[in-house]
Amino acid sequence: MLDTSARLLKLLSLFQAHRDWSGPELAARLGVSTRTIRNDVERLRSLGYPVNATPGVAGGYRLGAGAALPPLLLDDEEAVAVAVGLGRATGGGVEGIEESSVRALAKLEQVLPSRLRRRVSALNAYTVQMPGPAPSVRPEVLTTIANAARDRERLRFDYTGHDGEQSVRDVEPYRLAHRRARWYLVGYDVARADWRTFRVDRVRPRLPAGPRFTPRELPEDGDVAAYVEKGVNTAMWRHRATVLLHAPVEEMRALKHPLEFEPVDDATCLAHLGGDDLYRMAVWIGFLGVDFEVLDPPELAEQVLLLADRYRRAAGPR
């Protein structure tokens, strides 16, 4: 009975790690016959776990959705990672997740061995969270987008642009990206026939999902992070600016700032940036640590002058 029970737990773990398994694959993993696998699947079904089976050469087994939540089988590193992730999630970012994360973390810590509890406690005690002003996202919106991307189904949604304009989008969702406390959707906008990046807090999905689609090749050599970084730095913001920096482009790129730099000559380069607040943009440009000239827009130049006057007054009558 112990061997059978241990094998059933291992079988559940395999179902959680991989969406589809063939009978021979499971038999090889567990070191048993395919007949034993069939018997174990029936045992799991009798315990309330809906294991779906597809006959034929291309068939196999898949753990379906059901009322009973299968036990999670985690090794030490996975358990610590989950606990730390839940601890970070209590800082927000997803609407309503704080309370759920605290409850889940309390349940997990009850069953962690003492050696792992000490590791998790040390990480939480010596880590300081700095929540930003980013808006929260409803979890059902994230799951709707993720499911549509997984199932390769078009997603129709109402979208509020950075200028407040409302529009209806028909998008082939590719990936969700989390950057600096904000969630973004990367997808192919069918009406505009081009790739786009959308802020998820401005997305309101329309159900049901649209027709299935064949995935396209993402720009930036398939690098989602690079594509989001490039889009967020300019087009996603209310204000966009071009600044002439009195420094070589190689020097600025070496700083690893999330900006797009364009060479002008050996001593200067252009920086293209965006933001929702012109004053904050004026402050941020100063962090680059080089002389600069605001080329566009004029409103940003005015904020730079206001900031300069404020710093001049702060220095006193020297």
Side-chain angles (χ1 to χ4, degrees):
M1 289 300 295
L2 180 61
D3 290 342
T4 301
S5 299
R7 195 171 62 246
L8 290 180
L9 288 174
K10 180 62 176 177
L11 186 57
L12 275 176
S13 177
L14 292 174
F15 280 138
Q16 292 167 2
H18 200 331
R19 186 174 177 84
D20 295 288
W21 290 94
S22 68
E25 287 175 331
L26 291 173
R29 285 296 191 103
L30 298 178
V32 295
S33 65
T34 54
R35 179 179 180 181
T36 301
I37 293 297
R38 289 195 296 270
N39 293 335
D40 286 348
V41 166
E42 289 302 321
R43 292 188 180 97
L44 289 178
R45 288 169 175 164
S46 67
L47 293 173
Y49 300 116
V51 181
N52 301 324
T54 304
V57 177
Y61 298 99
R62 173 189 297 185
L63 186 62
L69 182 66
L72 290 176
L73 306 176
L74 306 174
D75 60 29
D76 286 4
E77 299 304 322
E78 291 172 338
V80 171
V82 171
V84 172
L86 287 171
R88 301 285 77 78
T90 59
V94 179
E95 186 177 310
I97 202 173
E98 297 92 339
E99 183 180 351
S100 301
S101 299
V102 170
R103 293 199 308 268
L105 181 58
K107 293 177 181 179
L108 181 59
E109 288 182 338
Q110 285 180 354
V111 297
L112 284 178
S114 58
R115 68 181 187 280
L116 299 185
R117 280 201 301 270
R118 286 195 295 270
R119 291 173 59 183
V120 173
S121 297
L123 281 168
N124 288 331
Y126 290 92
T127 302
V128 177
Q129 291 194 79
M130 300 180 66
S136 60
V137 175
R138 289 182 293 128
E140 58 266 28
V141 174
L142 290 174
T143 55
T144 297
I145 295 173
N147 289 338
R150 179 199 63 195
D151 298 334
R152 300 177 179 176
E153 295 177 339
R154 279 192 193 176
L155 189 66
R156 297 185 72 245
F157 55 86
D158 298 298
Y159 189 69
T160 304
H162 58 77
D163 55 358
E165 183 180 352
Q166 304 283 334
S167 61
V168 178
R169 302 298 184 97
D170 189 2
V171 172
E172 299 174 359
Y174 184 75
R175 289 291 188 277
L176 280 168
H178 189 250
R179 175 190 183 273
R180 300 182 185 179
R182 279 194 171 96
W183 288 92
Y184 299 93
L185 162 64
V186 177
Y188 187 85
D189 193 313
V190 177
R192 291 158 179 79
D194 198 5
W195 289 89
R196 290 289 190 271
T197 303
F198 305 92
R199 273 179 46 175
V200 177
D201 59 287
R202 297 172 176 171
V203 169
R204 296 189 305 280
R206 293 188 174 195
L207 298 177
R212 295 178 65 87
F213 63 89
T214 301
R216 305 171 189 265
E217 185 175 348
L218 182 73
E220 304 293 335
D221 296 325
D223 189 336
V224 176
Y227 182 80
V228 171
E229 200 70 49
K230 182 177 180 180
V232 166
N233 287 333
T234 53
M236 296 295 294
W237 300 105
R238 186 183 307 248
H239 305 288
R240 291 180 287 277
T242 302
V243 179
L244 178 67
L245 303 176
H246 291 263
V249 67
E250 294 80 8
E251 177 182 332
M252 301 313 301
R253 288 173 177 169
L255 297 178
K256 303 299 182 181
H257 281 294
L259 289 178
E260 182 181 354
F261 297 105
E262 178 184 339
V264 175
D265 52 39
D266 292 341
T268 60
C269 64
L270 295 177
H272 303 282
L273 65 154
D276 285 338
D277 185 282
L278 288 170
Y279 181 78
R280 292 177 183 271
M281 291 172 66
V283 173
W284 196 90
I285 295 171
F287 294 156
L288 296 176
V290 298
D291 291 342
F292 64 90
E293 301 172 38
V294 177
L295 302 182
D296 188 66
E299 294 79 9
L300 178 59
E302 294 174 2
Q303 294 299 319
V304 171
L305 288 174
L306 290 174
L307 184 62
D309 290 340
R310 180 165 294 163
Y311 282 159
R312 190 178 298 111
R313 291 192 299 270
R318 293 177 179 82

